[in-house]
Amino acid sequence: MSRALSRSLMPPPHLGEMVRKARKEQGLTLEMLAERCGISKSMLSQIERGAVNPTFTLVWNLAQSLGLDLSTLGEQAASDHMITHIPAYSTPSKGSADGLCTVRLLNPPRTPMPIEWYDFSAAPGGALLSQPHAPGTFEHLTCLKGTLEIEAGEKRAKAEEGDTLRYRADQPHAIRNIGEGPARAILVVAQPQH
């Protein structure tokens, strides 16, 4: 793997410090926070130490549980309805470091599940570079439009419209738009059951 790729895969700065500070300010133990947000105590400890790159859903759950201000995240839901409508403008999303990719969270962000799914889009040349997730995590990417390349560890594979790639996400990995036009995919992250 190139040195430039490994440098760009560093976890977001200070996330662990932010979580630890907010938890302690609220007088919460790791056990109490785990119960509140539905994330295991061991995963919370790893996040606070900066030893793991948490998925977007985990970060969102932590932010909601601790009242951290992540203004790009939000959900408009009425708990007394059978159908929850989340307008496109309220769907939590994040961009890639190069500004050419967007990942939109499609699963319920307040419900910790072993499966997360995302709407991924990338302009030509866009790349989403990721640190390893928890051991045993897999990603499943189905290309809906364009041409995407996956790099997982030392291996690379190409997906065109309709193709699905499955790969270990507990190693450095990247999704790149190698086509001439925009690309879109559904990305499913399957986390290990503990």
Coordinates of all heavy atoms in Angstrom, one line a residue, residues 30-66:
L30 N -18.2 3.9 31.4 CA -18.3 3.3 30.1 C -19.5 2.4 30.0 O -20.2 2.3 29.0 CB -17.1 2.4 29.8 CG -15.8 3.2 29.3 CD1 -14.6 2.3 29.2 CD2 -16.1 3.9 27.9
E31 N -19.8 1.7 31.1 CA -21.0 0.8 31.2 C -22.3 1.6 31.0 O -23.2 1.2 30.3 CB -21.1 0.0 32.5 CG -19.9 -1.0 32.7 CD -18.7 -0.3 33.4 OE1 -18.7 0.9 33.7 OE2 -17.7 -1.1 33.5
M32 N -22.4 2.7 31.6 CA -23.6 3.6 31.5 C -23.8 4.1 30.1 O -24.9 4.1 29.6 CB -23.5 4.7 32.5 CG -23.6 4.3 34.0 SD -23.0 5.5 35.2 CE -24.4 6.7 35.1
L33 N -22.7 4.5 29.5 CA -22.8 5.0 28.1 C -23.1 3.9 27.2 O -23.9 4.1 26.2 CB -21.4 5.7 27.7 CG -21.4 6.3 26.3 CD1 -22.6 7.3 26.1 CD2 -20.1 6.9 26.0
A34 N -22.5 2.7 27.4 CA -22.8 1.5 26.6 C -24.3 1.2 26.6 O -24.9 1.0 25.5 CB -22.0 0.3 27.0
E35 N -24.9 1.3 27.8 CA -26.3 1.0 27.9 C -27.2 2.1 27.2 O -28.2 1.8 26.5 CB -26.7 1.0 29.4 CG -28.2 0.6 29.6 CD -28.5 0.4 31.1 OE1 -27.7 -0.3 31.8 OE2 -29.5 0.9 31.5
R36 N -26.7 3.4 27.3 CA -27.4 4.5 26.7 C -27.4 4.5 25.2 O -28.4 4.8 24.6 CB -26.8 5.8 27.2 CG -27.6 7.0 26.7 CD -26.9 8.3 27.1 NE -27.1 8.7 28.5 CZ -26.7 9.8 29.0 NH1 -26.1 10.7 28.3 NH2 -27.0 10.1 30.2
C37 N -26.3 4.1 24.6 CA -26.1 4.2 23.1 C -26.2 2.9 22.4 O -26.2 2.9 21.2 CB -24.9 5.0 22.8 SG -23.4 4.2 23.1
G38 N -26.1 1.8 23.1 CA -26.2 0.5 22.5 C -24.9 0.1 21.8 O -24.9 -0.8 21.0
I39 N -23.8 0.6 22.2 CA -22.5 0.3 21.7 C -21.8 -0.4 22.9 O -21.8 0.0 24.0 CB -21.7 1.5 21.3 CG1 -22.5 2.2 20.1 CG2 -20.3 1.1 20.8 CD1 -21.9 3.6 19.8
S40 N -21.1 -1.5 22.5 CA -20.5 -2.3 23.6 C -19.4 -1.5 24.3 O -18.8 -0.6 23.8 CB -19.8 -3.6 23.0 OG -18.6 -3.2 22.3
K41 N -19.2 -1.9 25.6 CA -18.2 -1.2 26.4 C -16.8 -1.3 25.8 O -16.0 -0.3 25.8 CB -18.2 -1.9 27.8 CG -17.2 -1.3 28.8 CD -17.2 -2.0 30.1 CE -16.0 -1.7 30.9 NZ -15.9 -2.5 32.1
S42 N -16.5 -2.5 25.3 CA -15.1 -2.7 24.7 C -15.0 -1.8 23.4 O -13.9 -1.2 23.2 CB -14.9 -4.1 24.3 OG -15.8 -4.6 23.4
M43 N -16.0 -1.6 22.6 CA -15.9 -0.8 21.4 C -15.8 0.7 21.9 O -15.0 1.5 21.3 CB -17.2 -0.9 20.5 CG -17.2 0.0 19.3 SD -15.8 -0.2 18.2 CE -16.3 -1.7 17.3
L44 N -16.6 1.1 22.9 CA -16.4 2.5 23.4 C -15.0 2.8 23.9 O -14.5 3.8 23.6 CB -17.4 2.7 24.5 CG -18.9 2.8 24.1 CD1 -19.8 2.8 25.4 CD2 -19.1 4.1 23.3
S45 N -14.4 1.8 24.6 CA -13.1 2.0 25.1 C -12.1 2.1 23.9 O -11.2 3.0 24.0 CB -12.7 0.8 26.0 OG -11.3 0.9 26.4
Q46 N -12.3 1.3 22.9 CA -11.4 1.4 21.7 C -11.6 2.8 21.0 O -10.6 3.4 20.6 CB -11.7 0.3 20.7 CG -11.3 -1.1 21.2 CD -11.7 -2.1 20.2 OE1 -11.5 -2.0 19.0 NE2 -12.4 -3.2 20.7
I47 N -12.8 3.3 20.9 CA -13.1 4.6 20.3 C -12.4 5.7 21.1 O -11.7 6.6 20.6 CB -14.6 4.9 20.2 CG1 -15.2 3.9 19.1 CG2 -14.9 6.3 19.8 CD1 -16.7 3.9 19.1
E48 N -12.5 5.7 22.4 CA -11.9 6.7 23.3 C -10.4 6.7 23.2 O -9.8 7.7 23.3 CB -12.4 6.5 24.7 CG -13.8 6.9 25.0 CD -14.1 7.0 26.5 OE1 -13.3 6.7 27.3 OE2 -15.3 7.4 26.8
R49 N -9.8 5.5 23.0 CA -8.4 5.4 22.9 C -7.9 5.7 21.4 O -6.7 5.8 21.2 CB -7.9 4.0 23.3 CG -8.1 3.7 24.7 CD -7.4 2.4 25.1 NE -7.4 1.3 24.1 CZ -8.3 0.3 24.0 NH1 -9.3 0.3 24.9 NH2 -8.2 -0.6 23.1
G50 N -8.8 5.8 20.5 CA -8.4 6.1 19.1 C -7.9 4.8 18.5 O -7.1 4.9 17.5
A51 N -8.2 3.6 19.0 CA -7.7 2.4 18.5 C -8.5 1.8 17.4 O -8.1 0.8 16.8 CB -7.6 1.4 19.7
V52 N -9.7 2.4 17.1 CA -10.6 1.8 16.1 C -11.2 3.0 15.3 O -11.3 4.1 15.8 CB -11.6 0.9 16.7 CG1 -12.6 1.7 17.6 CG2 -12.4 0.2 15.7
N53 N -11.5 2.8 14.1 CA -12.2 3.7 13.2 C -13.6 3.4 13.2 O -14.1 2.5 12.5 CB -11.6 3.7 11.8 CG -12.2 4.7 10.9 OD1 -12.7 5.7 11.3 ND2 -12.3 4.4 9.6
P54 N -14.5 4.0 14.0 CA -15.9 3.7 14.1 C -16.6 4.0 12.8 O -16.3 5.0 12.1 CB -16.4 4.5 15.3 CG -15.5 5.7 15.4 CD -14.1 5.2 14.9
T55 N -17.7 3.3 12.6 CA -18.5 3.6 11.4 C -19.3 4.8 11.7 O -19.5 5.3 12.8 CB -19.5 2.4 11.1 OG1 -20.4 2.3 12.2 CG2 -18.7 1.1 10.8
F56 N -19.9 5.4 10.6 CA -20.7 6.6 10.7 C -21.9 6.4 11.7 O -22.2 7.3 12.5 CB -21.1 7.0 9.3 CG -21.8 8.3 9.3 CD1 -21.3 9.5 9.9 CD2 -23.0 8.5 8.5 CE1 -21.9 10.7 9.8 CE2 -23.6 9.7 8.4 CZ -23.1 10.8 9.1
T57 N -22.5 5.3 11.7 CA -23.6 5.0 12.5 C -23.2 5.0 14.0 O -23.9 5.6 14.8 CB -24.3 3.7 12.2 OG1 -24.8 3.7 10.9 CG2 -25.4 3.3 13.2
L58 N -22.1 4.4 14.3 CA -21.6 4.5 15.7 C -21.3 5.9 16.2 O -21.7 6.3 17.3 CB -20.3 3.6 15.9 CG -20.5 2.1 15.7 CD1 -19.2 1.4 15.9 CD2 -21.6 1.6 16.6
V59 N -20.7 6.7 15.3 CA -20.4 8.1 15.6 C -21.7 8.9 15.9 O -21.8 9.6 16.8 CB -19.5 8.8 14.5 CG1 -19.4 10.3 14.8 CG2 -18.2 8.1 14.5
W60 N -22.7 8.6 15.0 CA -24.0 9.3 15.1 C -24.6 8.9 16.4 O -25.2 9.7 17.1 CB -24.8 8.9 13.9 CG -25.9 10.0 13.7 CD1 -25.8 11.1 12.9 CD2 -27.2 10.0 14.2 NE1 -27.0 11.7 12.9 CE2 -27.9 11.1 13.7 CE3 -27.9 9.1 15.1 CZ2 -29.2 11.4 14.0 CZ3 -29.2 9.4 15.4 CH2 -29.8 10.6 14.9
N61 N -24.6 7.6 16.8 CA -25.2 7.1 18.0 C -24.6 7.8 19.2 O -25.3 8.2 20.2 CB -25.2 5.6 18.1 CG -26.1 4.9 17.3 OD1 -27.1 5.5 16.8 ND2 -25.8 3.6 17.0
L62 N -23.2 7.9 19.2 CA -22.5 8.5 20.3 C -22.9 10.0 20.4 O -23.1 10.5 21.5 CB -21.0 8.4 20.1 CG -20.4 7.0 20.5 CD1 -19.0 7.0 20.0 CD2 -20.5 6.8 22.0
A63 N -23.0 10.7 19.3 CA -23.3 12.1 19.3 C -24.7 12.3 19.9 O -24.9 13.2 20.7 CB -23.2 12.7 17.9
Q64 N -25.6 11.5 19.5 CA -27.0 11.6 20.0 C -27.0 11.3 21.5 O -27.7 12.0 22.3 CB -27.9 10.7 19.2 CG -28.1 11.1 17.8 CD -28.7 12.5 17.7 OE1 -29.8 12.7 18.2 NE2 -28.0 13.3 17.0
S65 N -26.3 10.3 21.9 CA -26.4 9.8 23.3 C -25.7 10.8 24.3 O -26.1 11.0 25.4 CB -25.7 8.5 23.5 OG -26.4 7.5 22.8
L66 N -24.7 11.5 23.7 CA -23.9 12.5 24.6 C -24.3 13.9 24.3 O -23.8 14.8 25.0 CB -22.4 12.3 24.3 CG -21.8 11.0 24.8 CD1 -20.4 10.8 24.3 CD2 -21.9 10.9 26.3

